[in-house]
Amino acid sequence: MNNPLERAYALLEELTPLTTDCGAVCGGRCCQVSADSEGMLLFPGEETLLSEEEGYTIRPADGGYLLTCTGTCDRTRRPLACRIFPLFPYVTEEGRVKAVYDPRGYRMCPLVRECAHVPLSRDFVRAVRRVGRILMADPACADFLRCNSREIAELNRLVGLDEQRPPIARRKP
C-alpha cells in the first residue's frame, strides 16, 4: 500500500473521535448537507479514488473538489476529511504536524464547540497527527495541508479556538 491516501484510510479505519458514536450526540450533522456544511473538501487525489463510489456527488470547488453524500455511506470508503473530522493535521510554520480542532466545523460539531469539556480519544488524535506526517511526503498533499493550515490559523485569529484545551486532555504533572 504505497498510496499515502490509502495508508491514511487504513490508519483511521477503526478510530473515531470518541469511544462511542459521536454521531449520536449531534444526529450525524457532519453527514448531512445543510446551511452549516456544503460538503467535505477532498484531499488531492481522492476525487479519483472515490469517483466510482455510489452515494457521493463530487464537484469542483475552490481549492479542489467537494464531496457531498446521501448521509449514509460505506464507512470503509468514506473520504479522509470525514475520517479525521473534527480535527485537521495542521502544519506549523516550522513544518511540524499537529492535530488541531478544525474551526470550520464549529457551527456543526458539538465536539468543536465543547472542546474545553470533551477530550477526544488519544488514539484518534495521534492517528490524525500521523496521517498528516504520511501526507506531507506527497507534494500535492503537503501543499494542501499547508494551505488549509493557513486558513485554520486565520480563522483561529477570529474565534480563538486554538486557545482552548488541545484535543487530548493532558495529564497534570
Side-chain angles (χ1 to χ4, degrees), residues 86-103:
L87 300 181
F88 191 83
Y90 179 91
V91 181
T92 67
E93 288 182 15
E94 298 80 30
R96 193 172 137 240
V97 177
K98 304 186 323 184
V100 301
Y101 287 102
D102 191 335

